[in-house]
Structures are given as C-alpha cells and as structure tokens.
Amino acid sequence: MEEADLRSRVARLSLEQKVRLLTGADFWALYPEPGAGLRRVVLSDGPAGVRGETWDERDTSANIPSPTALAATWDAERVEAIGRLLAHEARRKGVDVLLAPTVNLHRTPFGGRHFECFSEDPLLTARMGVAYVRGLQNSGVGATVKHFVANDSETERMTVDVRVDERTLRELYLAPFEAIVLQASVWSVMAAYNQVDGSTMTESPLLRTILHDEWGYDGLVMSDWTAARSVEPAARAALDLVMPGPAERFGPWGDALTEAVRAGRVDEALIDDKVLRILRLAARVGGLDGVSPVSPPPVDIPRELRATGAASFVLARNDGLLPLPRTGLGRVAVIGPNAEVARTLGGGSATVFPPYTISPLDGLREAGLDVTFAPGALGHLRTSAARAPWLLRPDGTGPGSEVRFFSPSGEQVGAEQRDGAVFRWMSGFGSIGTPEQIARLEISCVIRATEAGVYQLGVSGLGRFRLLADGAELFDETLALRPGADIAETLMAPPQRLVPVSLGAGQSVAVRLEHDVHSSPMAGFGTFLQLDLEVPHGTDDEEIAAAVALAADSEVAVVVVGTTAEVESEGFDRTSLALPGRQDELVRRVAAASPRTVVVVNSGAPVLLPWAGDVAAVLLTWFGGQEFGHALADVLLGEAEPGGRLPTTWPASAEGLPSTRPDGGVLTYTEGLFIGYRGYDRDGRVPLFPFGHGQGYTTWSYDSITVDCDGPEPAAVSLLAPGGTTPPFPPDKRGVAVCVEVRNTGSRRGREIVQVYASRPDSAVERPAKWLAGFAVVDADPGEAVNVGILIPERSFQHWSDGGWSLEAGAFTLAAGSSSASLPLTASVTVK
Ligand code: BGC
C-alpha cells in the first residue's frame, strides 16, 4: 500500500483514536479502527507452533521441532519451508503476526529459553532467523523477531541490567537482529524485559539509534508482555505498541499518554509515527481495507515435520550399531522416562497443544519392530495433568472433563465439555463471561484406575481450591504465589497440592474440583489450573532393575532420556545441567547389561552425558515436535539420514560456562566475545561434542578449497586484493567466494554440512581463535564429489571498533571441514 494512503489514514484519526491503537485490545489482539479501515489484528506465540487465541486442547496447533532442532539442520531452505508451514497454520487459526523467531543467543546452556533460541553463533542464528522470517512473511504472515536485545537468560529478567561491551553487543547479540532487519525486512520487533546498560529495553535509546536511524527499520516495535512501564520515556523511545491490553487493565499508556501529549510532554508527531507503523503492519498482513491477505501455499504438515525432525537429529557418536537393520532384528528394549510420553516442546509462552504426539515408543512400534518397554526411572519433577486412559468425562464416556462456570451470585452461567484437564483462560472466559462475571468454577471428571495402587490426585494453580472424591473432601486450601515468581514460572510451575488415593484395579472415583476464581492473583484476566494425577509406579530401584533385566534379554536397547517442559522453560534458568532423577544411573546400568545400547537424548538444550563414551551410540534429538517418534524410527532404522550438526557446543561439564546470576541486579557479560566455542578455544577447554559436530550414515573426504572461485552467485570478489573490484552487491552479497570440494566416500547417499571458519593470525585486534564464516548443505551419492560454493560475507572479516565496522586489511585464514574441531582444509585470503 502506498505510504501516502497510510499517512492519510493516520491523519483522519483523533488523538484519542490514535492513542487507543497503541495498546492491545486484549491479551492477543490490537484494536480495530473503522476510521482507518483497520480490522482487528491478532498476534500469537510462538516459535514452536502457532498457538492462536485459545491456549488449550480445543484449538490444537502443529507442533514443530524446537528452534534448537531447526538450527541443527543448518538448512535455510528447510527452515524457510517451516516458516511457510507456520504461515499456513497462522491463517488457519486467524493469526496475523507470529511472536517469533527468538534470536537471543545461547550464551550459556543454563539459559531457561535455550531450547527456544537457535544457536550460540550469531551467523548461524542470523541465517536461520532470516529463513524463518522469509518463509512466514512471503506467505503474508508477520514475524516478530525477539527479544531485542540481550535477553539471553531468565533470572530477574524483568529488571536485570545487562552490561555488555559495545563490540560484543554488535558482533554477537545484535548481529542476528541486524541481518533479519536488513535481509528479511522483518515487520515487527519485540522489545525485551531486561535493561541494557541502565535503560529498560522498552525505553532504550537503541530502539531509535540502531533500529530506526542506523538500520532504517520501518516496522513496528512492540513491548514484551507487560514490559512497558512508563508513559513518557517509553513513548519518546521508539516503542510503538504496548502489549497486552487493554490500557485500563495493564497500563501504562491509554489516557495517561493522551494527557502527556495534550500537556506537550510528548510530541504528537511521535504518536503519528507509531500509528503509521501499526497501519503499515496491518497493510502487510492484509488487515487494512483495500488489501487482501496473501494465501499461504498448502502443506503436508506431518510429512514436513517428520522430515525436519530427522534432519535435525545429531548422531554424536556411533560405533557402527546404527542404523539398525530392519530385517532380522530381534527384540528391541525401549527404555527410559522420555520413551512413552513424547517430550516435544519446552515450557513457557512457546507451548502449544499439538493435535497428537508420536512418542519414541509409538514410533518404534508403528515401524513394526518387536518392542518391549520399561520406564526405568522417573524423569519428571512434577506430576502432570491427568490424561487418558485414566481421565474420563463425568458420565464415563470419552476421555476428558466437564467445566461449569458460576457468576458471583452463584448462578451457573455456562459449561464446557473438555478433552483434557489443563485449563487456561488468559483473556476472560471466551463467550461465557468476563473475568468479573465468573466467580467460581467446578471441574468434574471420573478417574479410573488401570491397576491397583496409590494414585496421587491433586491440582496446580493459584487461589482457593477444594477437591472432592466421591463426595468426600480431600482438601480445601489456598495455593499462593512464590514471592518474586516470574509470570511464566507462575504459569508453568504453579504451586501443586497432591493427595494419595488408593484404588483397586478398574475402580472409578468421581472427582470434583472447585475453584474460587477471584481468589487467584491472575483474576484480572482469567485463571489457570490443572487437575493432576500421578499413577502408581515402582520405586526407581525396582524400575531400573526391571529395565536392566529387559535390556540384557533383548537384542538392542534404545534408552530415551531427557528433560521436560518443566525443566527447560521460560521464566527461570536451569541450576543444573544434569539429567533429572536417576537417568544417568539408568543409562550406565543398561549399557553394562547390553553392549548394543543406543541412547536417545530428548532435550531442548544440552544436558551432561557423563556416560557418553560407554554406550554404542548417542543420538541428540532436541524437543522433536509432534512427529518426534516417527522421525526417530526413520533415523534409527536408516530410512532417513541423521542430518543434524550441533548448533551449540555440547559441554562435558558445567565448568567455565557463563553465569546467568545477576549480582546486585546487574548481569555483566564478562566473557565478552568468548561464548560457546569461542570460549572453549580461548580457555583450551574440551567440550563433550564440539560446535558443528555430527555424523551421518556415510563418510566424506575434504579434497580441496579454492578461494575466489565461480561457485556462489553472484561471484563476489570485492574484498580481495590485489585486483579486487567493488561490484554493487547488497551487503549480504559482498564478500569472498570459496569453493570446497567434498566426496562421499561411503556406501550410501548422505548429507554433509560443509563449514568454513575464519581466523586471523597475528591480528592487532583481540579476536576469537576462529569464528564461523559460512556453510553449505551438500547431498551426494556414494563416490560423488561436489564442489560447493560458499560466499564468506564481508561482515565475517570485520570487527566493531570506535563506533563503526572496521576491516583489518591483510591475510585471514579460511578453514573448511565438518565441525569446528575438524578442519582439514585451509586457505589464505588477503582482504583490503
Ligand atoms: C514472552 C514472549 C511472549 C509473550 C507473549 C512473554 O512472557 O517473553 O516471548 O511472546 O510472553 O506470550
């Protein structure tokens, strides 16, 4: 849409109309404004799927693999296809703008949202982010790159002041944002909760000086949810939209901002610019009259997610046991806490309700293997929501529960038949009532025992709860917020109250849970709770012994260990990188009983694997999305290549890793440029598995590297001296062309990620020993050689100095290979 048209729409609005648009109408949507031809525009989380406006099982969402998994593919085309899939989902669910991608860096694996970010490396993060945004936006759905900036951990995230030197900020933390603004023209940026150098990000001068002035960004800046906390400073900064709304409930703008403009404390031209940016976003997503939304292309979601899962799995170690032969394979012992319940996503705002999930056990069974299962040890720290086959509707028919809603005067005003036992109302109670109109909830269901034993029955949530079983009261208590808890922690890990109930096999009990909505600290916008159930299980000692016996008696043991969304989540950082519970002991004892043990690690971020050298194979599978189990069977059986390479260094111990703990409210990035492999190189530490590492099912030789070759398009030689020219390439196309020849030396078709790292011997500037400068995906048949062209961008040779980008002229080394620790080919390039 023409800029003049947008401006004339702004000019038609009164100050009140304009200011109203600058705060959300509710938790997830912007106000419509007929005066400007603007319809309601809907925003939704998040990186692992498109949740939509409802956050429960009634409105399911395709659950894609975690962003760490996407980055492990190192495959921009695949990630762009995932962006298209998400656009398709967004349109299906009435969503205009996705609150993704998250491009904060893996500064340390302790970071709670590590699983939600791509990589420790700014170039890999930028490439994945650009592809993700292009996939979405070329299909007409807006992306929101977040969280700007230095929101790389969760501890005290609302207030922490991150101190990071300017060079580190530019070369590492801002770099993905810069690439996504300049190369993918992202439509929206989310300002983070934290401060950087003393300014909270919703008031930060960086929004204007960097985003607007330096990068020429014409999109919208929205606050993270409740991150805006001032009238004038936030309005004068380049913050355009406060979320969530309405202003009357969440502040801080609304009437206070209108008043500030009237009093001359905020210039109305600033307001006009913010409204213009909102209308521009609306025009881009088809939210203004006169523009029709682009229709995203159809997509085969299960197929795409299954292939992406396989392409992300990193085969970190394999003594030849994998792939397993399909024919003649005897009994497969499937063991481990993450084998039966698929852990497909991390916790926090990135959670969605998938339509189904394929667990590792389901996937291997469906593949037709002779599978026997033993859980081995408990991996979850909290009891989860009651589910089928134990949870039944009150009339005993299908799985699920019934919710009845009552007004303050005690009258029943609505009811819902639900399929599960997780309840989240974030923006009122839908068509049933506003937060003020609903005072009490009653949840009814039947719990039916599958085996005799002690069941733990209870609730998690905030406020007053009364639980009854067959009419007898089990408790009547108020569950209170942990002082200082973050909103995401409150949502993901609220207080839990459980009561033991003994049941005989097949016995049913009628359960009723009553909740006083207005006693919840969340009552202003709704409430959330879940009915929990822990079913009987043996002690860890008994379960481990049974698993070991099964492994000894089977041909192969597949042990699936990992974390859960309660361990890796928004709202808090991890305090330990160890696998929860006694999983390490489980692996050790199974491996001692069976030399043919494959360990599948199902976590969004690295966990410590102290037994890694003692098992036949280690496959790192991330949080694999809803098709996890299918993808796993494909890879274990060799029907798909384990295509992933590590997007982050996998530590051998927690030693030497940057801390997430602020000191007196300040978190100083003392390690500067040296995060991830840059830090390991500097300190001479050796990780368990290096950045970029991963094996396939074939082998490769690295045969030659040529600088200034004809490979990449356009052939860019502008930086080479002597004789270099300066063609008018856009910044991302300026650089040095290198060609790397690799050959598939194995016996099956395979995939290799050819990686090129730069280094600068004898530099006058402090630098990492090496840094990722380019990469390419190669697929080849046995015996086939491929000469792949890779453009090393100009930025890979630059460093930030004295307020600008500098190039230290002279000779850089480019080293190519299969990981940051295996670089057999080197070449020198002299740049000027
Ligand atoms: C998160 C954002 C998210 C927002 C809306 C915040 O807590 O930090 O990433 O988009 O909530 O759910």
Side-chain angles (χ1 to χ4, degrees):
M1 175 169 287
E2 295 289 323
E3 199 64 9
D5 183 346
L6 292 176
R7 285 180 195 279
S8 81
R9 289 175 195 245
V10 177
R12 271 186 247 155
L13 303 179
S14 68
L15 179 62
E16 283 77 7
Q17 283 174 308
K18 289 186 285 192
V19 166
R20 199 171 86 116
L21 289 177
L22 304 184
T23 299
D26 57 35
F27 230 78
W28 306 119
L30 275 57
Y31 279 107
E33 178 46 74
L38 171 67
R39 69 157 166 78
R40 184 171 180 267
V41 168
V42 176
L43 322 176
S44 172
D45 290 305
V50 183
R51 194 172 54 236
E53 291 183 80
T54 325
W55 198 346
D56 61 49
E57 84 292 344
R58 290 168 296 176
D59 188 12
T60 61
S61 315
N63 171 201
I64 69 169
S66 56
T68 38
L70 299 185
T73 69
W74 293 59
D75 184 347
E77 269 175 42
R78 183 170 284 290
V79 173
E80 193 167 332
I82 289 289
R84 287 194 292 274
L85 180 155
L86 290 169
H88 193 270
E89 280 283 282
R91 284 296 171 219
R92 179 177 73 77
K93 302 188 69 144
V95 168
D96 301 294
V97 180
L98 193 66
L99 304 173
T102 306
V103 300
N104 300 115
L105 295 185
H106 295 165
R107 174 175 170 258
T108 159
F110 285 103
R113 296 180 90 164
H114 191 287
F115 71 91
E116 200 186 314
C117 310
F118 292 118
S119 168
E120 69 189 21
D121 183 84
L123 180 77
L124 182 58
T125 301
R127 294 273 168 92
M128 297 298 109
V130 164
Y132 189 104
V133 170
R134 281 186 181 146
L136 272 169
Q137 295 192 169
N138 289 343
S139 309
V141 170
T144 308
V145 62
K146 68 188 188 184
H147 309 83
F148 189 83
V149 59
N151 182 188
D152 309 289
S153 50
E154 294 294 281
T155 309
E156 297 174 26
R157 66 175 176 163
M158 290 282 182
T159 52
V160 64
D161 184 11
V162 174
R163 301 281 167 85
V164 47
D165 68 84
E166 204 186 336
R167 179 171 172 210
T168 302
L169 188 63
R170 290 287 182 159
E171 293 186 19
L172 296 187
Y173 299 99
L174 282 169
F177 289 95
E178 181 184 16
I180 290 167
V181 167
L182 295 180
Q183 295 165 33
S185 302
V186 71
W187 297 342
S188 169
V189 170
M190 187 185 288
Y193 290 120
N194 53 287
Q195 305 178 36
V196 171
D197 291 331
S199 292
T200 198
M201 283 315 301
T202 46
E203 299 167 10
S204 168
L206 301 181
L207 299 179
R208 194 173 300 285
T209 55
I210 294 190
L211 277 174
H212 282 200
D213 300 345
E214 215 181 295
W215 298 346
Y217 175 62
D218 71 356
L220 169 103
V221 178
M222 70 175 81
S223 71
D224 199 345
W225 267 232
T226 71
R229 51 207 104 160
S230 70
V231 181
E232 286 130 53
R236 287 197 211 106
L239 180 72
D240 304 307
L241 174 68
V242 166
M243 287 303 293
E248 299 75 43
R249 181 161 291 144
F250 292 99
W253 287 0
D255 292 347
L257 181 54
T258 312
E259 176 55 31
V261 176
R262 290 247 150 81
R265 297 192 302 272
V266 172
D267 190 346
E268 190 163 350
L270 285 177
I271 305 295
D272 288 350
D273 181 58
K274 296 178 197 307
V275 175
L276 180 70
R277 288 168 185 269
I278 288 176
L279 296 186
R280 194 180 285 134
L281 173 67
R284 288 169 163 163
V285 300
L288 275 193
D289 60 10
V291 275
S292 5
V294 175
S295 293
V299 15
D300 182 342
I301 292 177
R303 195 158 164 252
E304 192 79 49
L305 296 185
R306 183 172 184 158
T308 302
S312 78
F313 295 170
V314 177
L315 182 57
R317 187 184 143 74
N318 183 16
D319 73 358
L321 178 59
L322 296 183
L324 300 172
R326 183 184 269 285
T327 46
L329 186 64
R331 178 154 83 173
V332 179
V334 178
I335 291 169
N338 288 42
E340 192 181 24
V341 179
R343 302 296 177 175
T344 66
L345 40 67
S349 60
T351 52
V352 294
F353 280 77
Y356 62 87
T357 54
I358 308 296
S359 70
L361 187 57
D362 299 332
L364 292 168
R365 274 199 181 126
E366 268 184 48
L369 302 186
D370 172 11
V371 163
T372 308
F373 169 65
L378 282 187
H380 60 279
L381 307 175
R382 286 169 61 87
T383 294
S384 0
R387 60 188 167 92
W390 302 279
L391 176 76
L392 296 170
R393 294 248 174 94
D395 59 8
T397 54
S401 58
E402 183 189 49
V403 187
R404 296 195 293 150
F405 300 80
F406 296 89
S407 70
S409 61
E411 188 194 342
Q412 184 180 331
V413 291
E416 283 176 356
Q417 299 298 317
R418 300 289 295 268
D419 297 334
V422 180
F423 311 97
R424 275 189 196 142
W425 292 277
M426 302 294 288
S427 207
F429 294 84
S431 58
I432 295 176
T434 62
E436 294 74 27
Q437 288 166 336
I438 305 300
R440 211 167 64 83
L441 300 176
E442 267 185 31
I443 292 155
S444 307
C445 66
V446 166
I447 295 292
R448 189 166 62 204
T450 45
E451 58 178 299
V454 178
Y455 289 71
Q456 300 282 340
L457 182 62
V459 63
S460 0
L462 288 174
R464 184 170 171 197
F465 296 96
R466 182 165 176 250
L467 184 67
L468 301 104
D470 282 340
E473 182 178 294
L474 299 180
F475 61 78
D476 179 352
E477 279 172 29
T478 297
L479 303 183
L481 201 59
R482 186 181 70 80
D486 183 274
I487 176 164
E489 177 184 347
T490 309
L491 274 169
M492 290 309 295
Q496 188 166 58
R497 173 79 165 91
L498 298 169
V499 178
V501 178
S502 289
L503 297 174
Q507 188 184 343
S508 293
V509 59
V511 173
R512 193 166 88 227
L513 177 65
E514 300 173 1
H515 174 45
D516 171 1
V517 173
H518 291 167
S519 66
S520 161
M522 301 294 177
F525 52 86
T527 190
F528 61 90
L529 61 144
Q530 68 183 35
L531 185 77
D532 296 323
L533 182 72
E534 184 82 44
V535 300
H537 47 73
T539 62
D540 275 348
D541 282 335
E542 290 162 357
E543 299 288 0
I544 291 175
V548 170
L550 175 65
D553 203 23
S554 302
E555 194 170 325
V556 175
V558 176
V559 188
V560 190
V561 294
T563 63
T564 67
E566 285 135 6
V567 175
E568 292 185 58
S569 173
E570 178 184 338
F572 49 90
D573 294 313
R574 281 191 291 169
T575 51
S576 163
L577 301 183
L579 282 167
R582 288 167 63 181
Q583 298 187 72
D584 286 334
E585 182 189 341
L586 172 69
V587 174
R588 282 204 171 101
R589 288 178 52 189
V590 168
S594 168
R596 291 163 62 80
T597 295
V598 182
V599 183
V600 175
V601 182
N602 173 205
S603 64
V607 282
L608 300 180
L609 310 175
W611 34 258
D614 307 328
V615 299
V618 178
L619 186 68
L620 311 171
T621 58
W622 318 107
F623 288 137
Q626 69 194 39
E627 283 286 330
F628 177 39
H630 284 149
L632 182 63
D634 291 346
V635 167
L636 292 179
L637 291 169
E639 276 152 26
E641 174 83 358
R645 300 295 183 268
L646 282 176
T648 209
T649 307
W650 201 281
S653 81
E655 214 175 300
L657 298 173
S659 166
T660 61
R661 301 265 140 211
D663 182 1
V666 173
L667 181 63
T668 307
Y669 286 10
T670 47
E671 71 290 342
L673 296 172
F674 300 94
I675 65 169
Y677 62 89
R678 293 161 161 85
Y680 282 83
D681 282 351
R682 182 193 57 181
D683 304 342
R685 277 179 292 134
V686 180
L688 181 63
F689 302 123
F691 178 81
H693 169 73
Q695 309 174 28
Y697 287 149
T698 185
T699 49
W700 299 84
S701 66
Y702 276 73
D703 297 340
S704 68
I705 183 167
T706 323
V707 174
D708 191 15
C709 59
D710 291 336
E713 286 298 326
V717 292
S718 64
L719 298 176
L720 292 177
T725 54
T726 309
F729 296 132
D732 59 319
K733 295 285 188 287
R734 277 170 57 89
V736 173
V738 294
C739 289
V740 179
E741 188 169 316
V742 293
R743 181 182 301 274
N744 180 345
T745 51
S747 56
R748 53 178 280 164
R749 185 172 171 79
R751 161 163 289 204
E752 177 72 336
I753 309 295
V754 176
Q755 302 164 38
V756 179
Y757 294 80
S759 57
R760 176 62 193 244
D762 305 323
S763 175
V765 182
E766 185 192 31
R767 296 174 188 268
K770 61 178 174 296
W771 57 97
L772 182 69
F775 55 91
V777 178
V778 170
D779 294 293
D781 287 321
E784 187 185 345
V786 176
N787 194 22
V788 65
I790 301 172
L791 183 73
I792 309 301
E794 177 174 34
R795 180 56 56 80
S796 291
F797 300 103
Q798 294 173 319
H799 63 279
W800 185 264
S801 155
D802 295 332
W805 292 105
S806 290
L807 189 72
E808 186 187 16
F812 284 77
T813 303
L814 295 177
S818 58
S819 86
S820 62
S822 172
L823 297 167
L825 301 174
T826 53
S828 181
V829 285
T830 302
V831 300
K832 59 167 188 176

mmCIF file of all heavy atoms in Angstrom, residues 11 20 30 32 107 109 168 237 253 305 313 326 345 370 686 707 736 743 745 771:
data_model
loop_
_atom_site.group_PDB
_atom_site.id
_atom_site.type_symbol
_atom_site.label_atom_id
_atom_site.label_comp_id
_atom_site.label_asym_id
_atom_site.label_seq_id
_atom_site.Cartn_x
_atom_site.Cartn_y
_atom_site.Cartn_z
ATOM 1 N N ALA A 11 -4.019 10.616 9.478
ATOM 2 C CA ALA A 11 -4.484 11.999 9.616
ATOM 3 C C ALA A 11 -5.975 12.082 9.915
ATOM 4 O O ALA A 11 -6.458 13.067 10.477
ATOM 5 C CB ALA A 11 -4.149 12.771 8.327
ATOM 6 N N ARG A 20 -5.474 5.077 21.472
ATOM 7 C CA ARG A 20 -6.111 3.794 21.781
ATOM 8 C C ARG A 20 -5.434 2.639 21.025
ATOM 9 O O ARG A 20 -5.268 1.538 21.536
ATOM 10 C CB ARG A 20 -7.592 3.856 21.416
ATOM 11 C CG ARG A 20 -8.425 2.791 22.102
ATOM 12 C CD ARG A 20 -9.889 3.063 21.863
ATOM 13 N NE ARG A 20 -10.292 2.461 20.611
ATOM 14 C CZ ARG A 20 -11.178 1.481 20.516
ATOM 15 N NH1 ARG A 20 -11.752 1.003 21.596
ATOM 16 N NH2 ARG A 20 -11.505 0.988 19.354
ATOM 17 N N LEU A 30 -4.927 -6.432 18.577
ATOM 18 C CA LEU A 30 -4.923 -4.966 18.522
ATOM 19 C C LEU A 30 -6.354 -4.498 18.325
ATOM 20 O O LEU A 30 -7.196 -5.237 17.819
ATOM 21 C CB LEU A 30 -4.066 -4.516 17.331
ATOM 22 C CG LEU A 30 -2.566 -4.406 17.564
ATOM 23 C CD1 LEU A 30 -1.966 -5.710 18.035
ATOM 24 C CD2 LEU A 30 -1.876 -3.976 16.283
ATOM 25 N N PRO A 32 -9.441 -2.818 16.533
ATOM 26 C CA PRO A 32 -9.826 -2.409 15.184
ATOM 27 C C PRO A 32 -10.092 -0.904 15.194
ATOM 28 O O PRO A 32 -10.342 -0.341 16.265
ATOM 29 C CB PRO A 32 -11.125 -3.188 14.938
ATOM 30 C CG PRO A 32 -11.677 -3.473 16.298
ATOM 31 C CD PRO A 32 -10.526 -3.457 17.284
ATOM 32 N N ARG A 107 24.083 -18.011 25.156
ATOM 33 C CA ARG A 107 25.265 -17.517 25.862
ATOM 34 C C ARG A 107 25.782 -18.583 26.821
ATOM 35 O O ARG A 107 26.970 -18.731 27.037
ATOM 36 C CB ARG A 107 24.887 -16.228 26.603
ATOM 37 C CG ARG A 107 25.962 -15.692 27.488
ATOM 38 C CD ARG A 107 25.596 -14.350 28.105
ATOM 39 N NE ARG A 107 26.569 -14.025 29.106
ATOM 40 C CZ ARG A 107 26.382 -14.161 30.416
ATOM 41 N NH1 ARG A 107 25.212 -14.566 30.888
ATOM 42 N NH2 ARG A 107 27.354 -13.878 31.254
ATOM 43 N N PRO A 109 24.338 -22.710 28.367
ATOM 44 C CA PRO A 109 23.235 -23.683 28.350
ATOM 45 C C PRO A 109 22.340 -23.615 29.576
ATOM 46 O O PRO A 109 21.271 -24.223 29.590
ATOM 47 C CB PRO A 109 23.947 -25.041 28.259
ATOM 48 C CG PRO A 109 25.376 -24.792 28.568
ATOM 49 C CD PRO A 109 25.654 -23.343 28.326
ATOM 50 N N THR A 168 31.004 -6.509 21.733
ATOM 51 C CA THR A 168 30.311 -7.791 21.918
ATOM 52 C C THR A 168 28.840 -7.659 21.534
ATOM 53 O O THR A 168 28.270 -8.526 20.874
ATOM 54 C CB THR A 168 30.448 -8.243 23.386
ATOM 55 O OG1 THR A 168 31.835 -8.348 23.684
ATOM 56 C CG2 THR A 168 29.773 -9.566 23.622
ATOM 57 N N ALA A 237 10.846 6.908 23.427
ATOM 58 C CA ALA A 237 11.681 5.888 22.781
ATOM 59 C C ALA A 237 10.862 5.358 21.608
ATOM 60 O O ALA A 237 9.696 5.681 21.469
ATOM 61 C CB ALA A 237 11.991 4.781 23.771
ATOM 62 N N TRP A 253 -0.016 3.270 29.096
ATOM 63 C CA TRP A 253 -0.336 4.379 28.193
ATOM 64 C C TRP A 253 -1.804 4.785 28.315
ATOM 65 O O TRP A 253 -2.195 5.316 29.340
ATOM 66 C CB TRP A 253 0.083 4.048 26.754
ATOM 67 C CG TRP A 253 1.593 4.097 26.567
ATOM 68 C CD1 TRP A 253 2.514 4.400 27.520
ATOM 69 C CD2 TRP A 253 2.323 3.830 25.363
ATOM 70 N NE1 TRP A 253 3.781 4.333 26.981
ATOM 71 C CE2 TRP A 253 3.707 3.992 25.660
ATOM 72 C CE3 TRP A 253 1.978 3.477 24.058
ATOM 73 C CZ2 TRP A 253 4.711 3.814 24.708
ATOM 74 C CZ3 TRP A 253 2.974 3.295 23.109
ATOM 75 C CH2 TRP A 253 4.330 3.463 23.427
ATOM 76 N N LEU A 305 7.093 -32.172 9.086
ATOM 77 C CA LEU A 305 7.629 -32.201 10.450
ATOM 78 C C LEU A 305 8.451 -33.459 10.703
ATOM 79 O O LEU A 305 9.462 -33.431 11.410
ATOM 80 C CB LEU A 305 6.489 -32.100 11.472
ATOM 81 C CG LEU A 305 5.700 -30.785 11.420
ATOM 82 C CD1 LEU A 305 4.672 -30.713 12.539
ATOM 83 C CD2 LEU A 305 6.638 -29.572 11.496
ATOM 84 N N PHE A 313 18.311 -34.334 13.894
ATOM 85 C CA PHE A 313 18.916 -35.227 14.893
ATOM 86 C C PHE A 313 20.424 -35.299 14.666
ATOM 87 O O PHE A 313 20.878 -35.546 13.554
ATOM 88 C CB PHE A 313 18.330 -36.638 14.801
ATOM 89 C CG PHE A 313 16.869 -36.737 15.136
ATOM 90 C CD1 PHE A 313 16.174 -37.913 14.884
ATOM 91 C CD2 PHE A 313 16.179 -35.683 15.715
ATOM 92 C CE1 PHE A 313 14.821 -38.029 15.193
ATOM 93 C CE2 PHE A 313 14.835 -35.778 16.027
ATOM 94 C CZ PHE A 313 14.155 -36.960 15.755
ATOM 95 N N ARG A 326 16.431 -53.486 9.598
ATOM 96 C CA ARG A 326 15.004 -53.726 9.829
ATOM 97 C C ARG A 326 14.719 -55.232 9.852
ATOM 98 O O ARG A 326 13.945 -55.704 10.675
ATOM 99 C CB ARG A 326 14.191 -53.032 8.737
ATOM 100 C CG ARG A 326 12.716 -53.168 8.919
ATOM 101 C CD ARG A 326 12.005 -52.537 7.752
ATOM 102 N NE ARG A 326 11.698 -51.141 8.000
ATOM 103 C CZ ARG A 326 10.721 -50.731 8.812
ATOM 104 N NH1 ARG A 326 10.020 -51.591 9.496
ATOM 105 N NH2 ARG A 326 10.468 -49.451 8.948
ATOM 106 N N LEU A 345 8.166 -30.306 23.247
ATOM 107 C CA LEU A 345 8.411 -28.861 23.308
ATOM 108 C C LEU A 345 8.864 -28.427 24.696
ATOM 109 O O LEU A 345 8.717 -29.165 25.666
ATOM 110 C CB LEU A 345 7.177 -28.065 22.859
ATOM 111 C CG LEU A 345 5.772 -28.475 23.252
ATOM 112 C CD1 LEU A 345 5.544 -28.336 24.727
ATOM 113 C CD2 LEU A 345 4.775 -27.622 22.502
ATOM 114 N N ASP A 370 9.800 -55.426 17.066
ATOM 115 C CA ASP A 370 9.370 -56.217 18.224
ATOM 116 C C ASP A 370 9.850 -55.464 19.472
ATOM 117 O O ASP A 370 10.993 -55.589 19.889
ATOM 118 C CB ASP A 370 10.013 -57.611 18.098
ATOM 119 C CG ASP A 370 9.800 -58.449 19.348
ATOM 120 O OD1 ASP A 370 9.003 -58.041 20.208
ATOM 121 O OD2 ASP A 370 10.458 -59.509 19.451
ATOM 122 N N VAL A 686 37.944 -28.599 26.573
ATOM 123 C CA VAL A 686 37.454 -29.514 25.540
ATOM 124 C C VAL A 686 36.008 -29.889 25.878
ATOM 125 O O VAL A 686 35.734 -30.389 26.967
ATOM 126 C CB VAL A 686 38.332 -30.785 25.473
ATOM 127 C CG1 VAL A 686 37.821 -31.737 24.404
ATOM 128 C CG2 VAL A 686 39.770 -30.396 25.205
ATOM 129 N N VAL A 707 39.928 -20.343 -3.296
ATOM 130 C CA VAL A 707 39.425 -19.001 -2.996
ATOM 131 C C VAL A 707 39.186 -18.278 -4.316
ATOM 132 O O VAL A 707 39.875 -18.532 -5.300
ATOM 133 C CB VAL A 707 40.455 -18.248 -2.139
ATOM 134 C CG1 VAL A 707 40.023 -16.810 -1.928
ATOM 135 C CG2 VAL A 707 40.597 -18.934 -0.795
ATOM 136 N N VAL A 736 33.814 -12.851 -0.045
ATOM 137 C CA VAL A 736 34.824 -13.635 -0.745
ATOM 138 C C VAL A 736 34.208 -14.983 -1.090
ATOM 139 O O VAL A 736 33.614 -15.638 -0.239
ATOM 140 C CB VAL A 736 36.059 -13.846 0.158
ATOM 141 C CG1 VAL A 736 37.041 -14.812 -0.486
ATOM 142 C CG2 VAL A 736 36.722 -12.516 0.463
ATOM 143 N N ARG A 743 33.830 -35.282 -1.087
ATOM 144 C CA ARG A 743 33.413 -36.508 -1.784
ATOM 145 C C ARG A 743 32.768 -37.460 -0.768
ATOM 146 O O ARG A 743 33.263 -37.638 0.347
ATOM 147 C CB ARG A 743 34.629 -37.184 -2.411
ATOM 148 C CG ARG A 743 34.292 -38.467 -3.187
ATOM 149 C CD ARG A 743 35.556 -39.098 -3.736
ATOM 150 N NE ARG A 743 36.274 -38.196 -4.627
ATOM 151 C CZ ARG A 743 36.017 -38.069 -5.933
ATOM 152 N NH1 ARG A 743 35.076 -38.796 -6.495
ATOM 153 N NH2 ARG A 743 36.710 -37.224 -6.661
ATOM 154 N N THR A 745 32.535 -40.738 0.514
ATOM 155 C CA THR A 745 33.422 -41.904 0.427
ATOM 156 C C THR A 745 32.769 -43.156 1.008
ATOM 157 O O THR A 745 33.411 -44.194 1.130
ATOM 158 C CB THR A 745 34.739 -41.639 1.187
ATOM 159 O OG1 THR A 745 34.404 -41.173 2.505
ATOM 160 C CG2 THR A 745 35.581 -40.599 0.495
ATOM 161 N N TRP A 771 36.061 -18.243 13.962
ATOM 162 C CA TRP A 771 34.620 -17.979 14.017
ATOM 163 C C TRP A 771 33.972 -18.473 12.725
ATOM 164 O O TRP A 771 34.604 -18.476 11.669
ATOM 165 C CB TRP A 771 34.333 -16.499 14.268
ATOM 166 C CG TRP A 771 34.924 -15.550 13.256
ATOM 167 C CD1 TRP A 771 34.296 -15.005 12.186
ATOM 168 C CD2 TRP A 771 36.275 -15.027 13.240
ATOM 169 N NE1 TRP A 771 35.154 -14.179 11.493
ATOM 170 C CE2 TRP A 771 36.369 -14.169 12.117
ATOM 171 C CE3 TRP A 771 37.399 -15.200 14.059
ATOM 172 C CZ2 TRP A 771 37.543 -13.497 11.787
ATOM 173 C CZ3 TRP A 771 38.574 -14.532 13.719
ATOM 174 C CH2 TRP A 771 38.630 -13.686 12.611
#
